[in-house]
Amino acid sequence: MLLEFELNGKQTRIEADPTLRALDLLRDVLGLTGTKEGCGHGECGACTILVDGKPVNSCLLYAAKLQGRRVTTIEGLTVADDTADGAEDGTEDGAEDCGSPWDPPPLHPLQEAFLCEGAVQCGFCTPGMILSAKALLDQNPDPEEREIEEALSGNLCRCTGYRKIVKAVQKAAAELRSRGSR
Amino acid sequence: MAAEAAGQRMKYLAGGTDLAVQISEGIVDPALLIDISAVEELRRIEENGEGLRIGAAVTIAELLEALRAAEAGKSAESAAIPRCLLQGAGSIGSPQIRHLGTIGGNVCNASPCGDTLAPLIVLAASFSLRSAHSSREVPAEEFFLGPKSTVMEPGELLESIFIPRTHLRGRSAFRMIGKRNGQVISQVNVAVWLRREQGKAHGTGEERPLPVQDIRIAAGSVAPIPLRLRRAEQCLRGSVPEASALRAAARAVQEEIQPISDVRTSREYRRGVTAALFMDVMAEVLEGEGG
Amino acid sequence: MKLEKLNVVGRAVAKVDGVELVTGRAKFAGDLRFPGMLYAVARRAGIPAGKIRSIDTSAALALPGIKAVLTAEDIPGANIIGILPPFDQPLLAAEEVRYEGESLALVVAESREAAKRGAAAVWIDIEPWEPVLEVDEALAEGCRKIHPGGNVTFSKRLVKGDVEKGFAEAEVVVENTYHTSFQEHAYLEPETVAAVPGGDGRITVYASCQSPFHIRGHIAANLDLPASRVKVIQAYTGGSFGGKDDVATEIGCLAAAAALKVQAPVMIAHERGESIVGSNLRHAARIHYRTGSRRDGTILAREATIHLDGGAYASESPFVTMKALIHAGGPYHVANVQVECTAVYTNKTYCGAFRGFGVPQVTFASESQIDELAAELGMDPLELRRKNALRAGQANATDQVFEQSVGLVQTIDRVAERAAEPGAGAPEAERNAGRWLYGRGCACMLQGISNGAEGIDVVGASVQASQDGSVLVGVGLTDMGQGSRTVFAQIAAEVLGVTMDRVTVHQVDTDSVHDSGPTVASRSTTVGGMAVYKAAREVRSSLVKMASLMIKCEEQQVLLQDNFAVLAPDARRAADPEVRIPLREVCTAAYWTGFPLMNLTFSRAPDANFDHETHQGNIYIAYNFGTHLMDVRIDRLTGVVEVLRHLAAHDLGKAINPMGVEGQVEGGALIGFGMAHLERIEHRGGCIQNANFADYAVPSIKDRLPTETIIVEDPNPTGPYGAKGVGEPPVAGTAAAFANAVAAATGIRFTSLPIRREDLLEALQGRNGGAAAEVGS
């Protein structure tokens, strides 16, 4: 089947088996390995991608369902949003330099916040977690804690205990709101 | 529209949140998957004088959004939204599952713990089934035969779910419980719909609460199918919902359900907690009307 | 280590490997792609016990896309894996099946799907045996022997003083039996390796792992190759918590064997179900415990008999046995302690290392005992603990005396202080009249840091300064998310006076440093950090020597900071300008002058020295001490628990990265909470019924704890900057505190973990004589 869809802001055309999992299409065919497989059953959220801005488990999604859609993976985060900014901005905002140890590529405020708040440990759940958070903030720029936890309820993390993840989302939300108001 | 699928092993695919897992596990092995998730007629939500019709391929998230928008926009005179369905759908899985999974899928998968099933039964919902040659309406409470088993014939398609206006009126609520707080499969769920007698709801002094004119109670994951609990209903239908009647109904609930012990939890827990969930649901549907 | 002003150590810094993780660029083992790479899937037994009569691979070989099918006879070497003697686990079983996840054949194919189909097509003929499922059954006279030597995996005793005498003197004795269940690691990344044969006769294995040197050694032994031909590189690892200690070795060997057979790269990536069934779990435990004290609360004797259900193979059971033994007595000064711990074989998924490693199980028992004793004595539970708490200069249960770094009482004080402040959950009796039952529980604990009695404790590290003043660090210990790479970078940066952006910590590579053993036992900061410190100090001395020549001063007058070599302020006269030289110039000059800019070091922690019959002696280089406090409320009608408050105070010597410390405490706490409340592997007939994330309830974000980390620093002389580890301790503290909080709230002592919603409801309703009694009242 010829699949045509928007992937991370770019029109993509590719011949693929329609019953291939979207997860495998991304990882094996398109070489985008940022999306992870944690369980294969839609029970852990590590494979979360955004389709038309909505979070779905790519391990349950047949590639055919991507036809004509707008797909966002973690690799596209800095491209999908024009609120992405360079590392320099991070140092202006807080009193303490988060200490990003080398010049990173332009990071989305969610990525920056996850990094600075210690919300990343092993990092395996992180791409899915960030995308679920992005879907939330795109709809709801000022979420309550209850709304954050609901939005991330489909993303398991075994390393962090989640507290810093919640803080990171709150921090990113504040940053995005302040940019929006400039 | 209907595919001539006689003789072929085929499955309709909506979101795939259940089917994709079953296929990958080798539990089902269809030769043909027909993706109905984008079929326009199956994705409409329409309300008219008769009631609410929800297309089978409406995703859980879309249903929630529509119901919440309707709730926000409702005037006092118009029919209320089916609250128990909103709560049930809202407790399914995770945001990811809700954006992909459909109400039709939840119904056709017919897992006894499906969170829209008990709500649809108490809302007196009916399912529109279509095959190549005919169509029929099946009431929700007659639709389920056993775990993952329904009255649907091979090749038959669930087109839509209809909730009559009579049951959009009244009050309904839903509760479920699982092993943990997030992304949880129901160990037990309970839905209640009721309609009180009309009358003055406010006043002073010792005013008796309004009697329950009609009531429907159903529970999921307490039997091979989502179960309508008629004996419990009898304790309350036509009665004033006072503490003693509620307690009698809760006991009837516990006696009427047929829970088993499985990997999710024990029979004893199901019995104990169903009563508690029932009381919580009753507290919600009775609140604010002199009860 | 003198207390100097620190620039980088002690600050919360972002992970040095964080950017690639948040952007998805980090390559985990399953993300690696090699030309011509094949996939391998194991065919597992599917039944828990039996005699293998035959394995027929012909049907599998005939399927499209199948390249090879390996069985035991295709393993050139020993066909054995295991952490310790007895090395009792086959890579591919040929004789006997001992648990349902036993691998019998490995199918190698062009795709994962083809390999799975091939695995299903391998015909296996097993004569099933009645599985041995319970510890008592396994120990009974005449029970079938799971291993030739019998069903006891390992058994040891700890004897301090004379418990009989102690109990005779005791005025109050409490006694009870406790149980804990099997727990699954549930790291988000299932076990994955990729083995790549080189054209030079070497084979490189990329592994999601925590013990790359084990993998190397086992591949060598199983493939009959010199270890020097085997290179193991740790890929980014998506969590491990002890689980990938032996499983990575198993699949590393299998992938390497397959790769050499087909002369192509081979990847093995477990699916979730097989990860749960086929890889090790936390030991289930039964602990019979007695504690005796005087009326005034002085504990005189503690006695425990522990049985660990270790499943089909030994794995880490001997070490878990020893660690449980050593920690069962608790962090208290008790003259008479006797513990016996026995690990037992059963026909279930084998058990091994899991964050805590025996300590969570015995801490739950020990701390339940303390609360039961407090109730008998009418004493406040925290005060009873404070009274008996170990202090510096006192002998612990192994009769080891630490003169320093025994910060337990400080953790008790800090928790008591914080708990007294107004907060979410101070329980009051009146509140229990309604639907919710409120309760507060606490626990004290200790956890030995690093290998202790388990053997030699060495770590290799390398520090290399380039001519441009940037620094490359290599260590033999793995970062699986806990942040060790960042800690190593901080230490190197601190010692060498460079900024963090000039330090790179490279991937763990068995070619590059001394065999460092496994990354376990919360040892990465303490022992790994010490190795980095030493290597960095050597390089520092070259830089200081060079700088002193350039500045024309004494060596001790040179400071290295912020990428400069600086003349110390007190060495120059007030009127002189500040003298500073960029480190890049110092490094270049040092190179051209012939000072070594790289140091490869080997740091060895003091050996344990103890009596193997009584486990008395010096075993650990340091202990982490902790006090936890938890306030809960429980819905008496549904068994739902809300944790209103959780204080976790730990004496960890020195927080090199405070944010990293919090992450370890918060994460470890939630694993402990899972063990205590949510998670239970369900077996039926020896087969796991809930090998998936729907029915095995790993905590979701909505189940998170409100953990507040309280850092206590009582410096440890054997760790860099006084640090000691903190990865494991919070698991034990949280589980024990939860059990005590539940007991306080319900008035019921639950002696079995997990205490799930259903267990709570059943106990509460049972107490009230019937299910319906509570409802509607």
Side-chain angles (χ1 to χ4, degrees):
Chain A
M1 169 178 188
L2 180 64
L3 284 172
E4 293 179 81
F5 59 97
E6 185 191 298
L7 176 59
N8 295 331
K10 292 214 312 246
Q11 277 305 316
T12 301
R13 296 175 83 221
I14 187 150
E15 190 68 43
D17 174 352
T19 63
L20 196 61
R21 299 181 307 176
L23 178 64
D24 299 318
L25 180 75
L26 292 168
R27 288 175 55 79
D28 296 336
V29 178
L30 294 170
L32 297 171
T33 58
T35 309
K36 309 298 182 196
E37 177 162 6
C39 74
H41 282 46
E43 291 160 358
C44 77
C47 68
T48 303
I49 59 173
L50 301 183
V51 175
D52 292 339
K54 310 207 187 307
V56 291
N57 295 315
S58 62
C59 72
L60 298 179
L61 194 64
Y62 290 122
K65 288 180 174 296
L66 296 179
Q67 189 74 284
R69 303 249 173 258
R70 180 170 53 93
V71 177
T72 310
T73 68
I74 188 69
E75 291 89 346
L77 204 62
T78 52
V79 174
D81 229 281
D82 52 15
T83 59
D85 224 328
E88 296 76 50
D89 273 16
T91 62
E92 291 167 22
D93 295 332
E96 172 141 4
D97 185 345
C98 158
S100 260
W102 49 279
D103 281 328
L107 294 178
H108 186 282
L110 275 167
Q111 292 169 313
E112 181 92 44
F114 267 63
L115 196 53
C116 292
E117 292 300 313
V120 190
Q121 286 192 28
C122 82
F124 199 78
C125 77
T126 305
M129 193 74 75
I130 288 180
L131 286 174
S132 288
K134 179 180 192 308
L136 169 72
L137 297 184
D138 286 348
Q139 294 299 325
N140 181 353
D142 193 1
E144 289 173 17
E145 195 168 312
R146 189 163 287 270
E147 292 170 307
I148 296 175
E149 64 177 39
E150 185 62 49
L152 301 186
S153 63
N155 291 81
L156 295 181
C157 172
R158 195 51 154 170
C159 294
T160 67
Y162 301 105
R163 281 175 62 75
K164 294 185 183 320
I165 290 176
V166 173
K167 270 183 77 184
V169 176
Q170 289 167 330
K171 182 166 183 201
E175 171 65 23
L176 285 164
R177 285 195 304 274
S178 80
R179 288 184 195 189
S181 64
R182 277 189 216 140
Chain B
M1 174 226 99
E4 274 305 321
Q8 277 193 325
R9 286 185 340 268
M10 66 85 98
K11 279 272 181 189
Y12 291 112
L13 173 71
T17 56
D18 289 310
L19 190 56
V21 175
Q22 290 166 10
I23 291 173
S24 83
E25 299 276 276
I27 297 171
V28 300
D29 185 21
L32 182 66
L33 282 177
I34 298 182
D35 187 348
I36 51 153
S37 61
V39 176
E40 260 321 297
E41 298 97 315
L42 304 180
R43 290 180 45 67
R44 295 193 194 119
I45 305 177
E46 291 164 326
E47 194 184 343
N48 58 25
E50 311 245 314
L52 179 66
R53 186 168 290 278
I54 306 166
V58 169
T59 68
I60 300 296
E62 287 164 347
L63 176 64
L64 290 171
E65 204 178 304
L67 291 176
R68 285 181 187 135
E71 186 175 43
K74 284 292 179 195
S75 60
E77 289 80 42
S78 61
I81 57 141
R83 183 141 203 90
C84 64
L85 183 61
L86 175 65
Q87 292 167 323
S91 66
I92 290 177
S94 62
Q96 292 92 323
I97 295 289
R98 296 194 289 269
H99 280 297
L100 200 53
T102 61
I103 184 160
N106 200 235
V107 167
C108 293
N109 190 49
S111 168
C113 64
D115 291 320
T116 63
L117 308 190
L120 289 172
I121 287 175
V122 304
L123 292 171
S126 61
F127 302 142
S128 295
L129 306 179
R130 169 94 79 100
S131 71
H133 312 293
S134 58
S135 61
R136 55 177 175 145
E137 294 276 323
V138 178
E141 65 191 282
E142 292 169 28
F143 182 77
F144 304 98
L145 297 175
K148 311 277 176 124
S149 170
T150 70
V151 301
M152 288 178 77
E153 301 289 332
E156 216 170 5
L157 173 70
L158 172 66
E159 281 192 305
S160 65
I161 294 156
F162 177 72
I163 300 171
R165 188 170 179 71
T166 45
H167 289 71
L168 292 175
R169 296 209 137 102
R171 299 280 300 263
S172 71
F174 166 94
R175 290 286 186 281
M176 58 84 77
I177 196 162
K179 290 186 199 238
R180 61 185 178 194
N181 291 334
Q183 195 173 3
V184 54
I185 295 181
S186 290
Q187 290 167 317
V188 164
N189 59 49
V190 177
V192 172
W193 168 88
L194 58 69
R195 192 174 55 236
R196 310 287 289 275
E197 276 180 21
Q198 298 298 333
K200 280 203 289 250
H202 48 269
T204 55
E206 295 303 307
E207 202 179 271
R208 297 191 83 208
L210 298 166
V212 172
Q213 201 174 56
D214 194 9
I215 183 168
R216 293 167 70 93
I217 304 171
S221 213
V222 294
I225 57 170
L227 203 60
R228 176 118 180 252
L229 303 175
R230 293 173 193 277
R231 276 192 280 141
E233 290 173 7
Q234 272 163 26
C235 298
L236 290 168
R237 188 177 288 110
S239 308
V240 171
E242 287 170 319
S244 56
L246 288 169
R247 274 202 296 276
R251 268 196 298 277
V253 163
Q254 287 187 303
E255 284 158 22
E256 204 169 348
I257 58 177
Q258 311 148 20
I260 58 168
S261 296
D262 63 12
V263 73
R264 301 222 168 103
T265 189
S266 68
R267 158 190 320 122
E268 293 72 26
Y269 184 64
R270 287 192 159 108
R271 246 187 242 290
V273 86
T274 307
L277 294 184
F278 170 72
M279 293 304 285
D280 283 346
V281 170
M282 287 308 299
E284 183 176 329
V285 296
L286 292 175
E287 100 188 312
E289 288 185 43
Chain C
M1 230 154 300
K2 64 176 172 14
L3 276 170
E4 51 211 77
K5 178 182 174 302
L6 299 171
N7 295 307
V8 179
V9 164
R11 287 184 49 204
V13 300
K15 301 188 86 198
V16 298
D17 50 355
V19 172
E20 56 266 42
L21 292 173
V22 299
T23 56
R25 292 182 187 186
K27 293 293 182 195
F28 292 78
D31 301 330
L32 300 172
R33 300 282 180 266
F34 299 98
M37 187 168 78
L38 302 171
Y39 297 85
V41 171
R43 172 55 191 270
R44 296 179 185 272
I47 63 168
K51 174 102 196 95
I52 299 173
R53 287 201 279 240
S54 65
I55 302 173
D56 185 347
T57 62
S58 50
L61 281 165
L63 288 178
I66 306 298
K67 295 297 185 195
V69 180
L70 283 76
T71 59
E73 54 208 25
D74 296 301
I75 305 294
N79 189 26
I80 293 251
I81 50 172
I83 307 282
L84 309 151
F87 294 97
D88 62 3
Q89 188 168 0
L91 208 44
L92 289 175
E95 303 293 321
E96 198 174 318
V97 168
R98 294 189 175 89
Y99 80 110
E100 59 167 331
E102 191 90 66
S103 295
L104 273 52
L106 187 75
V107 177
V108 187
E110 285 169 352
S111 70
R112 237 180 341 250
E113 291 313 309
K116 274 172 74 174
R117 279 194 295 270
V122 172
W123 180 256
I124 55 179
D125 182 11
I126 304 173
E127 175 196 320
W129 291 337
E130 196 58 41
V132 177
L133 296 177
E134 301 301 326
V135 164
D136 290 333
E137 181 191 347
L139 292 174
E141 191 72 37
C143 179
R144 176 171 62 78
K145 290 186 179 165
I146 295 174
H147 286 274
N151 294 339
V152 171
T153 316
F154 197 76
S155 188
K156 281 287 171 182
R157 297 176 88 216
L158 178 148
V159 180
K160 179 188 184 193
D162 180 344
V163 286
E164 287 317 315
K165 192 156 149 291
F167 280 115
E169 262 179 64
E171 294 164 302
V172 177
V173 175
V174 292
E175 183 167 358
N176 217 331
T177 305
Y178 307 90
H179 291 85
T180 66
S181 303
F182 298 102
Q183 189 183 17
E184 155 61 29
H185 303 80
Y187 24 72
L188 262 291
E189 182 209 17
E191 306 85 0
T192 310
V193 298
V196 186
D200 57 354
R202 298 192 81 200
I203 182 157
T204 302
V205 175
Y206 299 85
S208 174
C209 68
Q210 57 185 108
S211 310
F213 292 95
H214 277 183
I215 300 177
R216 182 178 73 175
H218 276 81
I219 291 175
N222 281 294
L223 269 50
D224 215 9
L225 290 175
S228 53
R229 290 235 209 107
V230 179
K231 175 167 164 159
V232 178
I233 296 177
Q234 186 216 1
Y236 282 85
T237 297
S240 188
F241 319 115
K244 292 171 181 170
D245 200 1
D246 37 5
V247 188
T249 299
E250 177 191 341
I251 59 176
C253 289
L254 287 173
L260 287 184
K261 186 170 171 92
V262 299
Q263 281 302 310
V266 172
M267 177 178 289
I268 295 179
H270 280 171
E271 296 191 331
R272 182 56 61 181
E274 103 182 285
S275 168
I276 294 175
V277 168
S279 82
N280 62 308
L281 302 171
R282 188 191 295 285
H283 291 74
R286 180 179 69 209
I287 302 151
H288 182 83
Y289 214 128
R290 254 197 325 159
T291 304
S293 78
R294 288 202 202 101
R295 273 263 146 233
D296 70 356
T298 309
I299 299 175
L300 297 177
R302 305 200 82 186
E303 182 180 26
T305 305
I306 306 164
H307 287 97
L308 299 174
D309 186 339
Y313 292 106
S315 179
E316 302 267 14
S317 288
F319 286 166
V320 177
T321 301
M322 291 203 297
K323 201 156 215 162
L325 195 72
I326 288 164
H327 290 78
Y332 305 113
H333 182 226
V334 179
N336 308 296
V337 180
Q338 186 163 299
V339 186
E340 184 169 313
C341 185
T342 305
V344 178
Y345 289 117
T346 58
N347 288 121
K348 300 198 287 281
T349 297
Y350 64 101
C351 298
F354 188 172
R355 195 165 177 177
F357 207 81
V359 178
Q361 296 95 316
V362 299
T363 302
F364 157 63
S366 161
E367 292 304 288
S368 297
Q369 282 274 290
I370 301 293
D371 261 30
E372 290 172 66
L373 182 64
E376 280 294 315
L377 296 171
M379 268 185 86
D380 173 82
L382 202 54
E383 284 317 300
L384 177 59
R385 290 171 167 87
R386 183 201 299 278
K387 186 183 175 64
N388 289 282
L390 275 169
R391 290 157 169 84
Q394 294 182 323
N396 64 14
T398 70
D399 208 28
Q400 183 171 11
V401 175
F402 287 89
E403 298 297 346
Q404 294 168 68
S405 201
V406 182
L408 177 61
V409 175
Q410 287 183 65
T411 66
I412 294 174
D413 289 340
R414 296 281 300 275
V415 162
E417 196 178 291
R418 185 85 184 92
E421 292 166 30
E428 301 131 32
E430 318 85 72
R431 289 164 107 186
N432 285 0
R435 180 154 169 171
W436 294 93
L437 299 170
Y438 290 79
R440 166 170 288 182
C442 65
C444 287
M445 54 83 58
L446 80 178
Q447 180 116 25
I449 299 303
S450 202
N451 295 349
E454 296 159 28
I456 193 145
D457 198 346
V458 302
V459 177
S462 70
V463 172
Q464 178 189 135
S466 296
Q467 291 187 54
D468 67 354
S470 68
V471 175
L472 181 67
V473 177
V475 191
L477 297 183
T478 59
D479 192 333
M480 334 150 212
Q482 82 277 33
S484 54
R485 236 167 140 175
T486 305
V487 163
F488 300 147
Q490 283 176 274
I491 292 171
E494 185 71 54
V495 170
L496 293 169
V498 297
T499 51
M500 286 284 282
D501 64 318
R502 305 292 287 165
V503 181
T504 301
V505 180
H506 68 71
Q507 276 180 302
V508 180
D509 169 348
T510 54
D511 279 1
S512 68
V513 293
H514 192 282
D515 186 336
S516 305
T519 307
V520 295
S522 309
R523 68 195 285 248
S524 27
T525 298
T526 311
V527 190
M530 207 49 171
V532 173
Y533 180 83
K534 287 184 180 167
R537 294 284 310 177
E538 291 300 317
V539 175
R540 180 179 200 281
S541 85
S542 290
L543 300 185
V544 161
K545 281 197 182 77
M546 189 68 242
S548 70
L549 293 173
M550 293 162 92
I551 296 173
K552 298 190 183 30
C553 65
E554 303 293 321
E555 282 179 36
Q556 55 267 41
Q557 293 169 326
V558 174
L559 296 177
L560 303 184
Q561 60 197 44
D562 299 323
N563 303 318
F564 284 92
V566 175
L567 179 63
D570 55 4
R572 55 183 171 88
R573 294 173 307 214
D576 286 348
E578 192 190 357
V579 177
R580 55 192 223 141
I581 310 176
L583 271 179
R584 91 180 88 82
E585 288 177 24
V586 177
C587 288
T588 304
Y591 175 78
W592 289 101
T593 308
F595 288 119
L597 289 177
M598 177 166 186
N599 184 266
L600 183 65
T601 203
F602 157 112
S603 181
R604 180 176 176 179
D607 287 341
N609 177 11
F610 63 102
D611 180 321
H612 288 251
E613 292 306 309
T614 60
H615 275 78
Q616 299 294 291
N618 293 337
I619 297 187
Y620 284 103
I621 57 177
Y623 278 88
N624 176 303
F625 294 93
T627 300
H628 283 234
L629 181 140
M630 198 179 269
D631 289 332
V632 302
R633 69 174 193 167
I634 302 172
D635 180 345
R636 65 168 91 228
L637 297 182
T638 61
V640 168
V641 177
E642 281 177 25
V643 178
L644 303 170
R645 179 175 227 173
H646 178 218
L647 303 177
H650 281 278
D651 161 29
L652 40 97
K654 169 76 187 169
I656 306 240
N657 183 340
M659 188 164 73
V661 167
E662 286 175 359
Q664 288 302 93
V665 175
E666 289 164 13
L670 198 57
I671 287 179
F673 183 66
M675 176 188 164
H677 181 48
L678 294 173
E679 298 173 38
R680 199 171 92 166
I681 288 285
E682 306 286 348
H683 281 100
R684 199 188 318 144
C687 294
I688 296 178
Q689 304 297 299
N690 55 344
N692 58 68
F693 280 168
D695 298 324
Y696 180 81
V698 172
S700 75
I701 195 170
K702 290 166 102 166
D703 304 289
R704 73 190 183 286
L705 296 174
T707 304
E708 190 182 318
T709 303
I710 297 172
I711 293 177
V712 169
E713 293 175 318
D714 193 339
N716 160 36
T718 65
Y721 304 97
K724 35 187 186 177
V726 73
E728 293 173 281
V731 179
T734 305
F738 176 77
N740 286 337
V742 165
T746 60
I748 300 170
R749 170 63 50 186
F750 288 84
T751 55
S752 238
L753 295 185
I755 306 165
R756 302 162 302 171
R757 292 173 171 179
E758 58 207 80
D759 303 310
L760 284 160
L761 188 65
E762 284 169 36
L764 287 169
Q765 293 187 335
R767 182 180 59 183
N768 285 316
E774 289 284 342
V775 172
S777 49

